Amino acid sequence: MLKQCEGSHAVAASVSLCRPEVICAYPISPQTHIVEGLSEMVRDGTLLNCEFINVESEFAAMSVAIGSSAAGARTYTATASQGLLFMAEAVWNASGLGLPIVMTVANRAIGAPINIWNDHTDSMSMRDSGWIQLFAENNQEAADLHIQAFRLAEAVSLPVMVCMDGFILTHAYEGVDIPTHEQVDAYLPPYEPRQVLDPGEPVSIGAMVGPEAFTEVRYLAHAKQMQALELIPQLASEFKQVFGRESGGLVHGYRLEDAEIAVVALGSVLGTIKDTVDELRKEGHRIGVLGITSYRPFPLTAIRDALQHVSRIIVVEKCFAVGLGGIVSRDVRMALRNLPMPVYDVIAGLGGRAITQASLRKLFLDGINDKLEQVTFLDLDWKAVNRQLERERATRRSGPIAENLLRDLGVVAARVG
Amino acid sequence: MSVTAIKFYQTGTHTVGNRLLDPSQRSVQADMRRTNSLNSGHRACQGCGEALGARYAIDAAMTATDNQLIAANATGCLEVFSTPYPETSWQIPWIHSLFGNAAAVATGIAAALRVKGRSEVRVIAQGGDGGTTDIGFGCLSGMFERNDDVLYICYDNEAYMNTGVQRSSATPGAARTATTPAVGKAPGNVFGQGKSVPLIAMAHEIPYVATAIVSELRDLEAKVKRAMEFRGARYIHVFVPCPLGWGTASNDTIRIARLAKETGVFPVIEAENGEVVAVSKIRKQLPVEEYLRPQKRFAHLFSPQPRLDVIGHIQALADRNIRRFGLVDEGAK
Ligand SMILES: Cc1ncc(C[n+]2csc(CCOP(=O)(O)OP(=O)(O)O)c2C)c(N)n1
Ligand code: SF4
């Protein structure tokens, strides 16, 4: 049923249709509305046979999820940013133990300086944790990906992170087609754990593993992700059969067929990128887009197939490996190894800075005219940055960068000593 | 006519008396069907108090729950010595996740059992003093505060043994550890730090809190059994000497534990809903020196010069325990 609702509520509704049995979460913006919605459903009986556990931290939230999943309950949690980092140790543990927990990450920047707005740094920091990571482009996809996520997680016994842009998606009202229980039940069978804590058949989970087997265990974790790589497109096509719409999959091409230049991105910025590309197309530029839905496992072959014919690639990413450059662009380069086209890193939208069509248009035109630097920080205020760098050179001292910048920009009534 | 004094046999393991008892009175250890949830062949040091305490605690819990038990374990000696892959000593469903989250993992298991309607299956969480009083403290307090249906058992060997005997917040004042060396003006761990988790647990007003000691295994068993009669959060703090970390002889574990109790260093108590309901009285009060002297971690208190001031401080703390919990009957001294 098409419903005009907030992204968070669409996700909460979709998660509830998956019949989770244990939900445990700790509040953090911009994830809060999702778990508030679910707690209400548990309270008012809309979501039957489900325990909602309020905990004292994200570390506890993921730990409770580990326990309940290991004991055979379908388990869900959600977090963002500092919360994801606070639960990091347990995040790795959940995937190491092969527990099919589903978690929404309402993507948000990581401080300091503290910043509640959207970028992808949080989930990217967990990209090697062994979790599957799916990125939603819009609220419909966010809702749909959760249904696929439970199916996928339970099929390969791995946890799945569904990443959706904080505020931009979580707090946006859009029409979302919320499926029926019958549809979801037809697609998602009840959870049958592979290995469960049960006095009837005792097992030890989480034993200590030494050098003689650890490499094998890690290889098998990789092999499971490779299975997921096969499964994700299958699940997306089955999803289409049951729900009648395209959602999920590994990657999505847009106007790529005859493109000379391709823009690669993840998440909600794809909408703005596509609109900009439409305009440039009207002007005769052969430009196309590749959206990546499955970031882990990383679909090397699908990306290579989709991009091998283009001559230049711009990766627009809302994350940044400090001391190196782009994160996603490294992975894209790996997909294209031995192919001649250059790949440009564009770091954009950090901490929620708007990525405007005007900026993108200029960026893409620079790309088309072969005028791009290897690494571009979209809309970077060079004046402010250079002033701070000069100040540091002059005083040979570093200081609180953000505060100095803000003072220069006249943004804050800071106490200036 | 002269009368031959009849020897008194304590009823317990390997003693004659136990066989003569009514089966319901016998200790778990002497029962043919003893569950042995933690199998022999694990890799604990000889004389490990933690291995002993855990085996008795879990066996008692198994009996009390008719084997319907799941355990979550924190990282630490107990976890490492019992599960070197691909071997495991656990005969019960058992999970180890992390150092700091045993209580929360147990909460998750309890939640899963609740939705599955399996109220007969009970949950135990266990950890060392480090996993309990320090890194896992937040999760533990959360579990208490929500009154989750979990029995948490802390095996207190008064330091981080698994990483090589470093100080924890349960390490007593003056004790030498790898991070509180026996050098300087005030050698060993400083006084006045650390926390009593049993008292903190009581402050959460959870249904049941107890302390126990491996020299009184029947008492430990009885407390585990009692704990299993309650629903909600329960906590048992077991004093488990560690021959390796304390520098004591492997065959002295029980003696050292007994001395800790008889000197008042470790009070053995029981509380319900935040109120002390029973204490295990000291039979023959001994000076703390008797407890300290056999342990290398306190050796610097006796040589080169005896540190009477420090020993006096430890005695004062023991005396406070005795006063606070009424551990010595008037006139018993
Ligand atoms: C987050 C984290 N920090 C540190 C460690 C290292 N570590 C493992 S066991 C342990 C000490 C365990 O001490 P305790 O809980 O007292 O148990 P014991 O080994 O003494 O029985 C430490 C510090 C860890 N595993 N995880
Ligand atoms: S170090 Fe101590 S606690 Fe650890 S196994 Fe040895 S005796 Fe037991």
Side-chain angles (χ1 to χ4, degrees), chain A residues 51 54 93 204-206 208, chain B residues 85 88 94 96-97 114 146:
Chain A
E51 290 277 331
N54 284 298
N93 199 254
S204 292
I205 299 177
M208 168 142 191
Chain B
Y85 175 86
T88 175
W94 180 94
H96 159 250
S97 170
R114 221 162 30 242
R146 288 184 303 269

Side-chain angles (χ1 to χ4, degrees), chain A residues 60-265:
Chain A
M62 183 50 67
S63 302
V64 168
I66 286 169
S68 69
S69 183
R74 183 173 283 164
T75 303
Y76 171 82
T77 186
T79 192
S81 183
Q82 317 298 132
L84 184 62
L85 265 64
F86 201 62
M87 65 164 67
E89 195 194 4
V91 167
W92 283 70
N93 199 254
S95 52
L97 294 173
L99 298 172
I101 298 161
V102 170
M103 170 162 70
T104 311
V105 174
N107 286 107
R108 162 180 156 183
I110 292 171
I114 189 167
N115 173 307
I116 62 167
W117 291 277
N118 166 250
D119 69 33
H120 293 162
T121 316
D122 50 2
S123 52
M124 285 294 160
S125 76
M126 292 294 128
R127 76 180 169 190
D128 303 330
S129 64
W131 281 60
I132 291 168
Q133 291 194 344
L134 307 176
F135 277 79
E137 185 176 331
N138 51 44
N139 285 345
Q140 184 68 60
E141 196 173 40
D144 294 346
L145 282 178
H146 282 85
I147 301 167
Q148 297 183 41
F150 280 106
R151 182 82 194 272
L152 177 64
E154 289 163 18
V156 290
S157 242
L158 276 186
V160 178
M161 224 177 258
V162 180
C163 305
M164 65 189 293
D165 284 320
F167 294 114
I168 300 173
L169 293 184
T170 54
H171 288 56
Y173 276 75
E174 271 185 357
V176 176
D177 188 356
I178 309 284
T180 61
H181 252 308
E182 290 68 40
Q183 282 175 307
V184 178
D185 287 349
Y187 181 79
L188 177 68
Y191 172 35
E192 275 182 42
R194 287 192 183 180
Q195 187 190 42
V196 62
L197 294 168
D198 182 355
E201 212 177 312
V203 284
S204 292
I205 299 177
M208 168 142 191
V209 173
E212 71 285 359
F214 196 76
T215 310
E216 286 70 18
V217 172
R218 295 308 287 165
Y219 177 81
L220 289 167
H222 179 64
K224 277 217 241 175
Q225 288 247 345
M226 294 303 105
Q227 288 170 25
L229 202 55
E230 302 276 308
L231 203 56
I232 290 167
Q234 281 176 37
L235 290 181
S237 80
E238 270 185 56
F239 187 88
K240 193 179 172 194
Q241 278 165 30
V242 177
F243 298 85
R245 63 177 164 268
E246 305 249 4
S247 246
L250 297 171
V251 294
H252 292 285
Y254 180 76
R255 307 191 82 163
L256 261 184
E257 301 72 36
D258 61 338
E260 259 176 9
I261 183 161
V263 183
V264 179

Side-chain angles (χ1 to χ4, degrees), chain A residues 21 49 51 53-56 59 63-64 67-68 70-73 89-90 93 197-199 202-209 213, chain B residues 67 70 80 83 85 88 91-98 100-101 104-105 108-109 111-112 114-116 118 121 138-139 142 146:
Chain A
E21 295 168 296
N49 212 28
E51 290 277 331
I53 315 270
N54 284 298
V55 278
E56 68 285 353
F59 176 68
S63 302
V64 168
S68 69
E89 195 194 4
N93 199 254
L197 294 168
D198 182 355
V203 284
S204 292
I205 299 177
M208 168 142 191
V209 173
Chain B
N67 300 349
I70 298 176
V80 169
T83 62
Y85 175 86
T88 175
Q91 300 296 304
I92 56 174
W94 180 94
I95 183 169
H96 159 250
S97 170
L98 295 167
N101 70 357
V105 171
I109 296 168
R114 221 162 30 242
V115 272
K116 301 272 177 199
R118 300 195 62 180
V121 184
C139 287
R146 288 184 303 269

Side-chain angles (χ1 to χ4, degrees), chain B:
Chain B
M1 209 181 116
S2 69
V3 180
T4 316
I6 297 170
K7 262 197 181 161
F8 174 70
Y9 285 103
Q10 200 184 340
T11 57
T13 320
H14 300 311
T15 59
V16 181
N18 203 31
R19 274 195 284 118
L20 306 176
L21 285 175
D22 184 80
S24 69
Q25 296 261 289
R26 290 182 196 171
S27 69
V28 172
Q29 180 73 357
D31 191 324
M32 287 290 283
R33 295 154 304 164
R34 200 174 86 85
T35 46
N36 216 359
S37 37
L38 177 62
N39 259 2
S40 56
H42 57 64
R43 296 165 190 204
C45 309
Q46 261 189 39
C48 172
E50 181 160 311
L52 181 66
R55 181 157 59 96
Y56 271 76
I58 302 296
D59 277 356
M62 285 286 272
T63 310
T65 61
D66 200 17
N67 300 349
Q68 298 301 301
L69 194 69
I70 298 176
N73 212 120
T75 311
C77 272
L78 179 60
E79 167 259 332
V80 169
F81 73 59
S82 64
T83 62
Y85 175 86
E87 294 152 22
T88 175
S89 289
W90 297 96
Q91 300 296 304
I92 56 174
W94 180 94
I95 183 169
H96 159 250
S97 170
L98 295 167
F99 187 21
N101 70 357
V105 171
T107 293
I109 296 168
L113 293 171
R114 221 162 30 242
V115 272
K116 301 272 177 199
R118 300 195 62 180
S119 59
E120 78 288 2
V121 184
R122 310 295 300 278
V123 189
I124 283 200
Q126 37 185 0
D129 48 294
T132 305
T133 70
D134 294 332
I135 197 167
F137 190 65
C139 287
L140 182 70
S141 175
M143 183 207 109
F144 288 166
E145 166 265 322
R146 288 184 303 269
N147 202 22
D148 295 323
D149 190 21
V150 175
L151 167 61
Y152 190 103
I153 303 180
C154 169
Y155 303 106
D156 181 6
N157 51 25
E158 303 195 324
Y160 298 135
M161 296 318 178
N162 187 50
T163 35
V165 198
Q166 298 86 15
R167 172 201 180 274
S168 82
S169 65
T171 300
R176 179 266 302 144
T177 69
T179 49
T180 56
V183 294
K185 258 200 284 183
N189 195 27
V190 287
F191 283 92
Q193 296 189 342
K195 36 191 150 174
S196 162
V197 175
L199 291 179
I200 298 171
M202 282 166 61
H204 286 75
E205 306 204 340
I206 56 175
Y208 186 77
V209 175
T211 63
I213 198 154
V214 285
S215 53
E216 293 182 10
L217 291 167
R218 291 296 296 273
D219 179 64
L220 170 61
E221 287 175 345
K223 282 171 174 165
V224 171
K225 193 169 158 235
R226 175 86 182 122
M228 282 324 211
E229 288 167 13
F230 292 89
R231 290 282 171 167
R234 291 143 287 144
Y235 180 77
I236 298 182
H237 192 99
V238 192
F239 185 86
V240 292
C242 161
L244 185 95
W246 296 12
T248 50
S250 294
N251 58 1
D252 257 354
T253 299
I254 302 297
R255 185 168 77 93
I256 299 291
R258 186 174 296 129
L259 286 167
K261 190 201 155 195
E262 297 295 298
T263 52
V265 162
F266 186 81
V268 180
I269 61 161
E270 216 175 359
E272 292 179 16
N273 303 311
E275 309 269 352
V276 176
V277 293
V279 301
S280 180
K281 300 275 183 184
I282 290 171
R283 271 181 277 187
K284 180 171 179 292
Q285 193 188 345
L286 297 167
V288 293
E289 205 183 312
E290 301 227 4
Y291 166 71
L292 301 173
R293 209 178 259 285
Q295 305 185 42
K296 287 212 185 77
R297 63 176 176 157
F298 293 114
H300 53 277
L301 303 184
F302 300 96
S303 87
Q305 296 95 13
R307 293 292 304 261
L308 297 180
D309 54 334
V310 181
I311 297 169
H313 193 160
I314 297 171
Q315 184 66 57
L317 294 176
D319 291 345
R320 192 185 63 175
N321 282 338
I322 290 169
R323 275 197 314 279
R324 179 185 257 170
F325 298 107
L327 299 177
V328 174
D329 277 335
E330 291 304 311
K333 230 173 169 183

